[in-house]
Amino acid sequence: MSSLILRAATRALAPLLLMLSLFLLWRGHNEPGGGFIGGLVAASAAALQGIAFGPAAARRMLWLPPVGVAATGLALAVLSILPSALAGLPPMKALWAKLDLGDGAVVPLGTPLLFDIGVFLVVVGSVVALISALEHAPE
């Protein structure tokens, strides 16, 4: 599709969608959102990019091939299980650490965030791979 309006809107919307997806990822563990929803929003930015500029533009948004992004996410999700297993706790038991940024600012980091990042990457990689496959399907 070669629409000037769509390309102009995509240049404005895609970065906003990516920022929203990161916000949903960060905010989502105890609130609505998380890795799955954030991944879907990021994948929608890639889909919009693909519709406006072609499938190659959607693939360029990722630093790895889509299947590689999904595999990296799956590895992170599996890796998030290991700390609790190594500590002798039930699988997927949340473990937390606090990162002190100074001036009283503390960022809680835990295995649920690592799991959510993994889910985020699996969703983005899978959806972009699916979109690429559909765009290359023979007629």
Side-chain angles (χ1 to χ4, degrees):
M1 177 179 287
S2 180
S3 166
L4 179 63
I5 294 172
L6 179 62
R7 288 186 304 218
T10 299
R11 284 191 177 102
L13 287 176
L16 292 174
L17 286 170
L18 289 175
M19 286 190 296
L20 176 65
S21 72
L22 292 176
F23 172 75
L24 290 170
L25 168 67
W26 185 258
R27 178 181 177 256
H29 190 67
N30 293 325
E31 310 243 353
F36 189 78
I37 301 298
L40 286 178
V41 172
S44 69
L48 188 61
Q49 192 83 3
I51 292 169
F53 299 105
R59 285 190 298 274
R60 278 194 304 266
M61 289 181 69
L62 304 176
W63 71 96
L64 289 173
V67 174
V69 173
T72 302
L74 186 60
L76 284 177
V78 170
L79 185 67
S80 72
I81 299 171
L82 287 180
S84 61
L86 293 175
L89 298 170
M92 302 199 67
K93 172 79 174 163
L95 297 176
W96 294 92
K98 294 186 179 192
L99 178 64
D100 187 7
L101 300 177
D103 295 333
V106 176
V107 176
L109 298 174
T111 54
L113 178 62
L114 188 61
F115 183 79
D116 275 344
I117 291 171
V119 170
F120 179 91
L121 292 175
V122 166
V123 170
V124 170
S126 300
V127 172
V128 172
L130 180 66
I131 291 169
S132 295
L134 289 174
E135 289 177 346
H136 286 103
E139 294 181 19

